[in-house]
Amino acid sequence: MMLRVREADGYAPIRDYAIVGDGRTAALIGLDGSVDWLCLPDFDSPSVLGRLLDAGKGGRLELTPVEPFQVTRRYRSGSNVLETTFETASGSARVSDAMTLLGTRLGPARELVRRVEGLSGTIRVRVVFEPRFDYGRRAARIAGGGSRFVASHRADAVSLSVWGAARTEVENGRVVGELVVAAGETAALSIGAAHAEPLVFSGRDEALDRLEATDRFWREWSATGTYEGPWQKAVVRSALTLKLLVYAPSGAIVAAPTSSLPEEIGGTRNWDYRYAWVRDACWTTAALLRLGYHDEVDAFFWWLMHTTRLTQPRLGVLYRVNGDPNVSEVTLDQLSGYRASRPVRIGNGARNQLQLDVYGSLLHAVWLYVDAGHAVSRDTAKEAAKIADWVVENWQRADAGIWETRSPPTHYTQSKAMCWVALDRACALADRGAIPDRSARWRTAADEIRSFVEERAFDEELGYVRAPALRESDASLLTLALLDWSSGADPRLITTVDGVRRQLARGPLVDRYRGQDGLEGDEGAFLTCSFWLVDALARTGRHGEAAELMDELVSLANDVGLYSEELDPASGAFLGNFPQALSHLALVNAAVSLAASESRP
Amino acid sequence: MTLWGALAGGLVGTVLLSTTVRLAQEIGVTRMDIPLLLGTAFTENRSRANLIGYGVHFVNGLVFSLVYAGVFEATGRAGWLFGAGLGLVHGLFAGGVLVNVLLPALHPRMGTSWTDASATPLLEPPGFLLLNYGRHTVLVTLLGHVAYGTIVGAFAAGL
């Protein structure tokens, strides 16, 4: 049981949000029942409900008890349908939320359904619908009355249908109303959206039927997963969350559905994560294969290889979910930012960086895909070989590294190691006959890279260091243990894992690095690094320590099993974009590694 | 105006259109891949899809040349300039409707704007004017179709 938490400034802790989605976009719903984030029609479209980034004029859909209340919340088992139960002095009610999946029947192009069931007594629930198009820039023109309202702006329109309201009316550019729900009664509301097409309105029964059909889909989908092992509940919740972050029309996975949730409250490290990063390709492919979701792997792999074609053999750092590599970064000065964390950015400037690690990630993904028994076409095989050739010619260059630092490029050790991974996997693929064989050339370059790392980037105390010129620990070097740089018994690898833990861990939480990165301010501990540490410990023969750490990390999720990008070790507050795909991917991969190490004699 | 001329123009025009798009792919201007898009409607195997896709594209090229011939017949005029104009309209129709709306609706392995989490299509949808496949795709497509129309018009008029 939790008490309502929303600060006087109008913002809720990031930890208090849950996500619902439909494979095109997602909504974040606070513990008090307010939908504070929804971009329409797609993840990377402008927000229509954006209170998350501006409590005053961002836009919201409140469905909150009028009286003081207590609240509990959960996802239905194996499902992405959210259930929030409010209890007040006069009564209690359960709100079920889902973005519905349409099937073949005519329905709204995007739909959020919220069902309110009275459980005891009588409860009064306030409804406030305040859409603000174009990231809060445009107050909506609202038409309609009674139980149906339409707000529109240029080619976009959003409808609100309310069933069972005591009263609803338009007031100062918003719809306000109150639901009075007695035990045994059901009220509901639905948000429908259309872009460049007519709105399709929901009927009450159809909307509620779709909510239940959506629940059935999620249960059936989660039941097709094959993972059985420790931390099962956390793994299944991660799988369901990752599926929500898949942009279904293309198969791409967004890093997170939000933009500019800060890495430091009040700070400037606020980035837009509503795009797909090539860096995540190997972790995505590994996790989906390990969970048994082969259709999703196929869709993702086809998207990855088709999308990167425009720039191959050079790879972009990130792409829009529709495949567009143009993701220019701009600031939105009209938004005050989450708890005054400015600027709010859309687009992502990292797209212009050189990041050598992405080549290792992509070729490792190709290797995993082929190793799992999937065939690649002749075109894809040729493309993979050309990418390996590009690595041979370019691994000596300085880059921005996996962490996308905005300081001058340098020779990051992890980038070099990932170039080695790229060439090593290319050799393995050629050995399988999966891609054209130029392995003599690739192996020679791979050996040179290994010599570079071993001779110039190793320290007896710290293990592998951030860069030859930066003699400090970097948690990204844990990936060397995860990507078979050497065997788990390699003393240098063990020294590195221990060095990262000693230098960068704060309790169970691990910082990315402590040195300079060309940006002002500080940040929280990076959750992915904590899960990588679990994975690395498991792979270097320390199963007990790994399992203990995993237990601690799993307990740090929010009440519905979700993780953001970062955590403040002092307060436990979530920081950064939410929910974060990479955190959940790392959780899944760590759990599977632990299960594997447990079964080893 | 000759029907055989239009058909011959359709064949040569399709060769030119296919080559233009492929060339644009090779130099990194677009991810538009006509044989892959058409062929994967029939098979998931990319190599086989390319073969089938080229076949379907050539059949389409011949069918459209008959439509052009019908327009030439109805208006009583043909020629490279008129053909080029028809090619421009054809290109806009292809990017705006045929490949943007109709192909995703019929294609069993392509996403659409209404594809949701219950489906896992293998091919991303092209988007309006095929812009999802690169910003210059629209130019390549229009150029290819204007060239196609020019050739069909010229051949139909007996050069």
Side-chain angles (χ1 to χ4, degrees):
Chain A
M1 192 72 70
M2 289 172 281
L3 289 171
R4 175 189 177 187
V5 178
R6 191 175 282 269
E7 301 295 331
D9 60 7
Y11 292 95
I14 297 169
R15 174 181 280 280
D16 279 5
Y17 287 97
I19 182 175
V20 294
D22 64 3
R24 285 86 51 104
T25 190
L28 293 192
I29 304 176
L31 203 52
D32 59 358
S34 177
V35 181
D36 289 352
W37 184 249
L38 177 62
C39 297
L40 290 168
D42 298 320
F43 287 114
D44 58 354
S45 305
S47 64
V48 176
L49 306 178
R51 188 188 200 181
L52 197 59
L53 296 180
D54 193 314
K57 56 180 186 293
R60 67 193 197 273
L61 170 61
E62 272 187 46
L63 194 61
T64 307
V66 173
E67 298 174 59
F69 61 88
Q70 292 188 302
V71 57
T72 53
R73 196 168 62 163
R74 62 164 198 149
Y75 283 107
R76 290 187 191 172
S77 176
S79 172
N80 275 321
V81 174
L82 180 70
E83 287 187 343
T84 306
T85 303
F86 295 112
E87 291 191 23
T88 69
S90 60
S92 63
R94 179 167 54 226
V95 178
S96 301
D97 289 307
M99 291 201 72
T100 59
L101 312 178
L102 288 181
T104 54
R105 294 192 60 189
L106 183 63
R110 308 286 186 271
E111 183 185 44
L112 170 65
V113 175
R114 315 195 71 184
R115 182 176 69 191
V116 187
E117 296 167 82
L119 299 177
S120 65
T122 298
I123 187 167
R124 290 163 55 214
V125 183
R126 183 174 62 249
V127 177
V128 178
F129 176 53
E130 186 181 25
R132 300 282 301 211
F133 290 96
D134 198 12
Y135 296 110
R137 266 190 284 244
R138 311 281 174 205
R141 196 162 41 80
I142 300 178
S147 63
R148 179 167 293 152
F149 302 86
V150 173
S152 59
H153 168 65
R154 300 180 69 174
D156 294 294
V158 180
S159 67
L160 170 71
S161 303
V162 189
W163 299 287
R167 63 174 181 86
T168 42
E169 60 193 16
V170 179
E171 183 186 291
N172 298 329
R174 67 184 75 160
V175 179
V176 293
E178 195 171 293
L179 302 175
V180 181
V181 186
E185 291 180 351
T186 298
L189 59 84
S190 150
I191 296 283
H195 172 73
E197 63 181 26
L199 277 166
V200 178
F201 294 121
S202 283
R204 178 184 186 275
D205 292 346
E206 293 86 47
L208 293 180
D209 285 350
R210 275 196 292 272
L211 187 140
E212 293 309 318
T214 299
D215 182 53
R216 283 195 296 280
F217 166 78
W218 286 121
R219 286 169 193 265
E220 286 164 12
W221 183 84
S222 60
T224 61
T226 54
Y227 178 75
E228 282 182 18
W231 303 284
Q232 176 95 13
K233 201 175 159 194
V235 169
V236 170
R237 179 50 48 200
S238 290
L240 282 159
T241 305
L242 290 167
K243 177 70 171 167
L244 283 181
L245 302 181
V246 173
Y247 181 67
S250 70
I253 298 186
V254 294
T258 57
S259 174
S260 298
L261 287 177
E263 295 173 11
E264 178 187 32
I265 300 299
T268 60
R269 295 170 182 241
N270 318 317
W271 315 110
D272 189 354
Y273 278 16
R274 299 172 298 157
Y275 311 108
W277 264 256
V278 178
R279 173 198 65 194
D280 297 351
C282 67
W283 313 117
T284 303
T285 307
L288 292 175
L289 284 170
R290 290 165 137 188
L291 293 170
Y293 290 113
H294 288 271
D295 287 346
E296 281 72 16
V297 173
D298 277 335
F300 175 74
F301 189 78
W302 276 59
W303 173 83
L304 178 69
M305 296 310 294
H306 194 226
T307 288
T308 54
R309 263 188 178 186
L310 206 56
T311 52
Q312 285 175 8
R314 174 86 192 253
L315 302 176
V317 171
L318 63 143
Y319 294 85
R320 285 189 181 277
V321 288
N322 66 7
D324 189 346
N326 298 298
V327 193
S328 301
E329 185 175 288
V330 295
T331 60
L332 297 179
D333 298 330
Q334 77 273 16
L335 295 175
S336 60
Y338 179 82
R339 294 204 162 141
S341 305
R342 302 182 73 174
V344 171
R345 294 184 177 91
I346 57 169
N348 201 300
R351 76 183 181 104
N352 294 320
Q353 293 182 339
L354 172 67
Q355 292 180 22
L356 292 170
D357 63 294
V358 300
Y359 297 86
S361 182
L362 184 134
L363 283 169
H364 185 57
V366 176
W367 164 249
L368 291 171
Y369 189 71
V370 168
D371 193 45
H374 298 270
V376 295
S377 70
R378 203 176 305 164
D379 282 349
T380 300
K382 279 197 275 185
E383 288 158 7
K386 279 186 192 168
I387 290 168
D389 289 339
W390 190 93
V391 173
V392 169
E393 285 152 21
N394 290 277
W395 71 266
Q396 299 93 338
R397 293 169 66 181
D399 74 335
I402 187 174
W403 302 130
E404 304 178 342
T405 56
R406 301 209 172 186
S407 47
T410 193
H411 294 280
Y412 288 105
T413 305
Q414 201 261 359
S415 297
K416 304 302 181 202
M418 289 302 281
C419 287
W420 177 88
V421 168
L423 297 173
D424 183 72
R425 302 309 180 266
C427 291
L429 285 161
D431 198 40
R432 282 274 178 96
I435 67 173
D437 191 353
R438 297 193 278 278
S439 53
R441 183 174 184 231
W442 298 335
R443 181 53 64 198
T444 302
D447 290 344
E448 287 172 23
I449 297 170
R450 183 173 274 279
S451 299
F452 176 93
V453 171
E454 298 292 358
E455 290 165 17
R456 299 181 56 186
F458 185 77
D459 179 275
E460 294 296 336
E461 291 291 315
L462 302 173
Y464 297 111
V465 292
R466 195 173 173 200
L470 299 168
R471 312 298 287 184
E472 60 197 46
S473 287
D474 178 343
S476 71
L477 293 162
L478 294 168
T479 59
L480 271 63
L482 279 52
L483 294 170
D484 301 321
W485 170 262
S486 56
S487 87
D490 178 3
R492 286 191 159 205
L493 214 49
I494 292 170
T495 304
T496 305
V497 174
D498 291 343
V500 166
R501 201 170 192 186
R502 208 170 48 247
Q503 298 290 322
L504 300 177
R506 293 187 266 175
L509 300 171
V510 179
D511 292 334
R512 293 192 285 184
Y513 47 82
R514 296 265 167 84
Q516 290 302 307
D517 57 11
L519 290 164
E520 288 177 13
D522 206 354
E523 64 174 32
F526 203 81
L527 274 161
T528 294
C529 297
S530 295
F531 288 113
W532 282 349
L533 179 58
V534 171
D535 210 330
L537 286 168
R539 288 167 188 261
T540 51
R542 289 166 292 179
H543 178 87
E545 286 175 65
E548 202 175 301
L549 179 56
M550 187 75 174
D551 279 335
E552 285 189 76
L553 293 172
V554 166
S555 72
L556 295 176
N558 76 355
D559 59 315
V560 286
L562 303 179
Y563 295 89
S564 58
E565 180 185 34
E566 299 183 358
L567 238 147
D568 180 345
S571 66
F574 278 11
L575 296 168
N577 286 307
F578 173 87
Q580 170 88 345
L582 194 54
S583 301
H584 286 276
L585 288 168
L587 181 151
V588 169
N589 287 319
V592 177
S593 292
L594 266 170
S597 73
E598 191 178 48
S599 62
R600 273 199 294 270
Chain B
M1 201 283 289
T2 70
L3 189 61
W4 285 110
L7 279 169
L11 188 68
V12 176
T14 308
V15 169
L16 189 64
L17 173 57
S18 308
T19 309
T20 305
V21 176
R22 186 72 212 181
L23 192 67
Q25 271 178 268
E26 292 296 332
I27 61 175
V29 171
T30 179
R31 293 188 290 113
M32 176 76 176
D33 188 332
I34 297 169
L36 184 79
L37 292 184
L38 296 176
T40 47
F42 302 92
T43 175
E44 269 186 36
N45 181 304
R46 286 180 77 141
S47 301
R48 217 173 297 147
N50 275 324
L51 277 176
I52 297 170
Y54 270 119
V56 172
H57 193 222
F58 273 91
V59 170
N60 287 348
L62 292 175
V63 170
F64 272 104
S65 72
L66 293 177
V67 175
Y68 278 51
V71 175
F72 296 149
E73 184 67 37
T75 57
R77 52 184 296 209
W80 70 269
L81 190 59
F82 189 41
L86 281 184
L88 181 65
V89 174
H90 181 183
L92 288 170
F93 180 67
V97 179
L98 265 184
V99 184
N100 174 36
V101 178
L102 297 182
L103 185 64
L106 295 171
H107 200 303
R109 296 180 180 86
M110 182 178 283
T112 67
S113 59
W114 59 89
T115 298
D116 63 28
S118 61
T120 50
L122 294 174
L123 283 174
E124 59 175 314
F128 181 62
L129 295 179
L130 322 178
L131 289 171
N132 288 359
Y133 296 158
R135 290 190 172 182
H136 301 301
T137 305
V138 61
L139 294 177
V140 173
T141 310
L142 288 180
L143 186 69
H145 281 88
V146 168
Y148 170 89
T150 304
I151 288 172
V152 174
F155 276 44
L159 294 174

